[in-house]
């Protein structure tokens, strides 16, 4: 339980760690766009190289990144199989009863695996590994601030998100404590039929819910004591500033997008998908 | 006899991660059978880690823990039976209550042990008595109780398993003075009547002096001092050095000694001080009369 890391933030002090969360959000969106624009092998090579540079910049060990892939391996394999068996264009390469594999299917599979891996690595490097969840919601709130003109409660949403994120570790810790207390009284969570296992969760869930409600209550009172009244006229302690490195990484991602588009149109060699 | 003993135990949290933290470093200590041992130490000195190692909630990174001569991790599948023999009351245990009535909540442990209904019933009443919980409260919902009563119910929940080693992490924290005394008194009675070894974590030097036979002092995950209560409190300069204190009365006695009153150097309870001063006064009167 203790090892659950939400958002997988990996402490560090790299350029990407220090960058403005808004810049990183923009980068992540541009990067994802670039990955989806890739249609040729050359474009993929460019984007893989760019990803490698970003990983090096972020200072995140490769094994940490690979570990996050491990939890998604099922989705990757599933997508790969769907693409492999359900694509029915190109040359028929292999046939075994109802299983037919086409050349196009193999290419699609490779492209899909590349895309998913790149997406995980890229969004990890730009966002989840280098940005704390709190900084992320802060950045999101400010990026979405113009929507306030449309009377969308941007601040309230981001406050809710911040509070939710803030309390996940607390609740995990609380769950851990309650589980330990019940284990100390001989509770057994791992064995028995499904029903008895579900029943074994009650001694954890009931105290946990009670604790969550109690905390919510206390938090509401504490916020009110400090005169919280929503986002209007509220200033912030950590004012975000875009600095040169932030513009540099955003420019890098814009160039990446343009490069991917240009390669598709002007250097159409090794085109993988239409 | 229970014979609980740690042999070169170390524990590291999140080993291999960037935020890895060594909580305990090569601790070897034996807890005297049938006696009350106090564990003291600064916040973050590893006390809570230590108590969770004792009943196998945590597994030592290295070293062994022996209970009655056998390594508790010799058969990891049987760790549950260790938890019945080493009862642990965690910090703020009132948050673990969950059942519909106090009675069935206290019975949770014994039920998990697979005891008969009659046996469970008897143990619940007995445990409630040790914890100082009135029998009329047993059929209420635990959530109707006051904070202090909830604490007692939670302590009774562990006592009902009749563990031969009872470990309590700050059982009296946040209680009013009268509640404190009655909870600790109940724990002492439990230990005496069941011939159980009691291990008590506390920040209150007064409670330690009053209830514990032996004291183990931890500092930054290492064993700093251990021995009889009077011997440990004699080293009060050493205790102050790691941010701990000695009972107020010990300091009063030291100050009196500095002023020339011939007080003993092992005063750590008020009653001990009273006896000592009375003896000195009697000696003086005897002297002046002669």
């Amino acid at each position: 339980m203790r090892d659950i890391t939400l958002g997988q933030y990996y402490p560090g002090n790299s350029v990407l760690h220090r960058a403005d969360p808004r810049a990183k959000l923009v980068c992540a969106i541009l990067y994802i766009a670039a990955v989806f624009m890739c249609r040729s092998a050359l474009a993929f090579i460019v984007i893989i190289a760019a990803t490698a540079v970003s990983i090096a910049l972020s200072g995140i060990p490769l094994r940490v990144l690979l570990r996050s892939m491990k939890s998604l391996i099922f989705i990757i394999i599933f997508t790969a199989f769907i693409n492999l068996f359900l694509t029915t264009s190109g040359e028929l390469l292999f046939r075994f009863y109802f299983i037919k594999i086409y050349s196009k299917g193999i290419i699609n599979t490779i492209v899909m695996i590349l895309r998913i891996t790149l997406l995980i690595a890229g969004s990890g490097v730009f966002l989840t590994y280098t940005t704390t969840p709190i900084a992320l919601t802060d950045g999101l709130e400010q990026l979405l601030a113009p929507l306030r003109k449309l009377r969308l409660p941007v601040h309230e949403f981001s406050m809710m998100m911040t509070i939710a994120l803030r309390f996940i570790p607390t609740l995990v810790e609380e769950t851990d404590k309650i589980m330990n207390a019940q284990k100390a009284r001989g509770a057994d969570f791992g064995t028995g039929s499904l029903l008895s296992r579900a029943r074994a969760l009650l001694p954890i869930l009931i105290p946990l819910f009670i604790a969550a409600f109690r905390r919510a209550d206390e938090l509401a009172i504490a916020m009110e004591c400090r005169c919280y009244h929503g986002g209007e006229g509220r200033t912030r302690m950590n004012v975000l500033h875009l600095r040169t490195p932030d513009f540099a990484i955003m420019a890098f991602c814009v160039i990446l997008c343009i490069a991917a588009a240009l390669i598709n149109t002007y250097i159409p060699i090794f085109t993988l998908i239409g | 006899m229970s014979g609980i003993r740690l042999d070169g135990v170390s524990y590291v949290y999140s080993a291999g991660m960037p935020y890895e933290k060594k909580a305990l470093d090569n601790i070897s200590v034996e807890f005297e059978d049938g006696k009350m041992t106090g564990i003291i130490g600064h916040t973050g000195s590893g006390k809570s880690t230590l108590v969770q190692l004792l009943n196998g909630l945590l597994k030592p990174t290295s070293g062994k823990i022996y209970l009655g001569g056998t390594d508790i991790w010799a058969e990891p599948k049987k760790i549950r039976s260790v938890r019945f023999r080493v009862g642990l009351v965690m910090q703020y245990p009132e948050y673990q209550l969950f059942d519909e009535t106090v009675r069935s909540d206290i019975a949770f442990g014994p039920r998990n042990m697979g005891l008969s209904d009659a046996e469970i019933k008897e143990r619940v009443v007995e445990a409630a008595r040790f914890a100082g919980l009135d029998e009329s409260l047993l059929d209420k919902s635990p959530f109707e109780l006051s904070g202090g009563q909830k604490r007692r119910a939670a302590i009774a929940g562990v006592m009902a398993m009749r563990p031969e080693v009872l470990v309590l992490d700050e059982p009296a924290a946040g209680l009013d003075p009268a509640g404190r005394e009655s909870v600790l008194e109940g724990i002492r009675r439990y230990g005496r009547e069941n011939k159980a070894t009691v291990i008590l974590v506390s920040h209150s030097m007064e409670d330690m002096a009053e209830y514990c036979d032996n004291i183990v002092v931890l500092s930054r995950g290492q064993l700093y001092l251990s021995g009889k209560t009077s011997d440990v409190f004699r080293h009060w300069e050493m205790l102050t050095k790691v941010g701990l204190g000695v009972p107020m009365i010990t300091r009063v006695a030291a100050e009196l000694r500095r002023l020339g009153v011939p007080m003993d150097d092992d005063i750590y309870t008020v009653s001990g001080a009273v006896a000592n001063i009375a003896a000195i006064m009697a000696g003086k009167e005897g002297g002046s009369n002669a």
Side-chain angles (χ1 to χ4, degrees):
Chain A
M1 272 319 254
R2 221 172 264 280
D3 292 329
I4 289 183
T5 44
L6 183 99
Q8 308 166 306
Y9 179 68
Y10 189 88
N13 193 26
S14 70
V15 185
L16 285 175
H17 279 90
R18 275 174 284 141
D20 189 303
R22 289 173 296 178
K24 285 189 273 188
L25 274 163
V26 170
C27 281
I29 294 166
L30 288 172
Y31 175 85
I32 291 168
V35 169
F36 276 103
M37 274 197 271
C38 286
R39 287 171 197 287
S40 68
L42 189 61
F44 270 113
I45 290 169
V46 169
I47 208 146
I48 289 169
T51 312
V53 170
S54 314
I55 294 174
L57 273 180
S58 72
I60 290 159
L62 218 51
R63 82 186 147 78
V64 174
L65 273 176
L66 288 176
R67 202 163 46 205
S68 73
M69 309 254 171
K70 219 164 63 184
S71 54
L72 290 165
I73 198 90
F74 177 74
I75 296 178
I76 297 176
I77 291 174
F78 184 72
T79 332
F81 270 102
I82 296 256
N83 276 291
L84 194 59
F85 296 124
L86 297 184
T87 313
T88 50
S89 53
E91 273 174 70
L92 182 64
L93 295 176
F94 178 81
R95 177 174 197 147
F96 182 75
Y97 294 104
F98 59 93
I99 298 171
K100 295 174 197 153
I101 292 177
Y102 294 86
S103 58
K104 202 80 199 188
I106 292 180
I107 290 174
N108 274 354
T109 308
I110 294 170
V111 169
M112 259 353 223
I113 292 177
L114 267 177
R115 267 187 188 165
I116 296 177
T117 334
L118 283 173
L119 284 181
I120 298 169
S123 57
V125 163
F126 283 117
L127 291 178
T128 49
Y129 281 111
T130 56
T131 321
T132 58
I134 297 291
L136 208 59
T137 40
D138 253 11
L140 207 58
E141 180 184 352
Q142 295 198 30
L143 267 186
L144 298 180
L147 292 181
R148 243 180 310 196
K149 296 260 176 342
L150 301 174
R151 295 188 170 251
L152 281 176
V154 175
H155 168 79
E156 281 69 20
F157 274 127
S158 110
M159 183 55 93
M160 268 156 49
M161 224 152 102
T162 309
I163 291 174
L165 286 169
R166 155 70 185 75
F167 277 95
I168 288 172
T170 313
L171 285 182
V172 168
E173 203 178 295
E174 196 111 31
T175 314
D176 209 40
K177 260 193 216 152
I178 296 169
M179 259 172 101
N180 274 341
Q182 309 301 28
K183 271 202 241 163
R185 294 204 280 165
D188 187 5
F189 306 117
T191 55
S193 67
L194 205 60
L195 187 72
S196 71
R197 266 194 239 185
R199 203 185 294 260
L201 285 180
L202 276 183
I204 300 173
L205 290 180
I206 293 172
L208 189 63
F209 268 86
I210 289 169
F213 281 123
R214 183 171 44 83
R215 273 187 200 287
D217 221 27
E218 282 168 5
L219 181 69
I221 290 171
M223 283 170 84
E224 218 158 324
C225 285
R226 289 192 261 169
C227 304
Y228 177 78
H229 57 90
E232 215 168 312
R234 205 172 148 76
T235 54
R236 13 188 79 252
M237 186 167 84
N238 301 314
V239 183
L240 298 174
H241 289 294
L242 286 170
R243 296 197 174 81
T244 324
D246 299 319
F247 288 111
I249 57 168
M250 283 195 282
F252 176 74
C253 289
V254 171
I255 292 168
L256 198 61
C257 267
I258 296 172
L262 288 183
I263 291 171
N264 285 334
T265 346
Y266 295 103
I267 322 175
I269 43 167
F270 308 126
T271 301
L272 296 172
I273 40 177
Chain B
M1 275 281 121
S2 41
I4 187 153
R5 165 166 84 83
L6 274 73
D7 187 16
V9 168
S10 298
Y11 189 81
V12 182
Y13 283 105
S14 325
M17 295 293 282
Y19 17 81
E20 143 178 329
K21 188 176 169 288
K22 193 159 203 170
L24 286 179
D25 186 11
N26 194 19
I27 304 267
S28 296
V29 66
E30 181 160 7
F31 295 98
E32 200 179 342
D33 280 343
K35 291 281 166 70
M36 256 172 111
T37 301
I39 300 179
I40 54 178
H42 212 251
T43 312
S45 61
K47 305 183 299 274
S48 295
T49 310
L50 180 66
V51 297
Q52 291 184 54
L53 283 163
L54 289 173
N55 77 335
L57 280 176
L58 297 177
K59 190 176 178 185
T61 312
S62 64
K64 295 238 180 337
I65 297 161
Y66 294 96
L67 176 64
T70 46
D71 176 9
I72 63 168
W73 286 100
E75 284 175 275
K77 288 212 169 118
K78 294 206 173 141
I79 198 68
R80 218 167 138 230
S81 66
V82 170
R83 295 190 186 136
F84 295 133
R85 293 174 64 195
V86 183
L88 170 63
V89 180
M90 312 250 284
Q91 247 172 50
Y92 299 104
E94 53 271 34
Y95 298 131
Q96 72 186 35
L97 300 173
F98 68 96
D99 225 326
E100 275 170 61
T101 65
V102 176
R103 192 185 294 277
S104 64
D105 203 293
I106 297 176
F108 182 66
R111 258 200 323 268
N112 285 329
M113 294 170 83
L115 299 174
S116 71
D117 284 351
E119 171 90 28
I120 291 176
K121 209 169 165 192
E122 185 207 316
R123 285 191 176 202
V124 168
V125 173
E126 181 205 86
R129 187 170 54 81
F130 280 127
L133 199 63
D134 199 81
E135 249 193 280
S136 64
L137 297 173
L138 288 181
D139 292 308
K140 285 196 169 183
S141 156
F143 306 111
E144 287 172 43
L145 304 186
S146 73
Q149 290 166 337
K150 279 187 200 167
R151 176 79 57 89
R152 288 160 198 273
I155 294 173
V158 174
M159 285 176 167
M161 302 191 299
R162 241 180 247 165
E164 54 200 277
V165 181
L166 179 65
V167 187
L168 304 106
D169 195 350
E170 295 264 15
L175 296 181
D176 58 60
R180 247 188 127 75
E181 204 182 302
S182 93
V183 163
L184 291 170
E185 201 56 57
I187 292 166
R188 168 142 75 186
R189 269 214 333 273
Y190 173 88
R192 284 190 183 154
E193 286 181 29
N194 290 300
K195 299 205 169 33
T197 308
V198 177
I199 298 169
L200 191 70
V201 174
S202 173
H203 271 122
S204 158
M205 300 300 151
E206 275 73 20
D207 291 349
M208 286 285 156
E210 188 63 44
Y211 294 97
C212 295
D213 305 294
N214 301 309
I215 288 187
V216 169
V217 186
L218 294 181
S219 173
R220 294 166 191 222
Q222 287 179 326
L223 188 66
Y224 187 67
L225 269 177
S226 76
K228 294 224 167 302
T229 304
S230 52
D231 293 337
V232 168
F233 281 141
R234 202 168 288 155
H235 295 107
W236 67 291
E237 298 91 346
M238 274 182 86
L239 290 173
T240 341
K241 212 155 70 188
V242 290
L244 296 168
V246 289
M248 202 77 84
I249 196 71
T250 308
R251 275 190 286 172
V252 172
E255 196 63 18
L256 282 172
R257 213 165 35 244
R258 203 178 60 82
L259 293 172
V261 183
M263 301 261 310
D264 294 344
D265 64 351
D266 61 348
I267 303 294
Y268 52 93
T269 59
V270 175
S271 53
V274 168
N276 192 217
I277 291 173
I280 292 166
M281 300 287 275
K284 252 201 185 138
E285 270 163 32
S288 62
N289 284 349

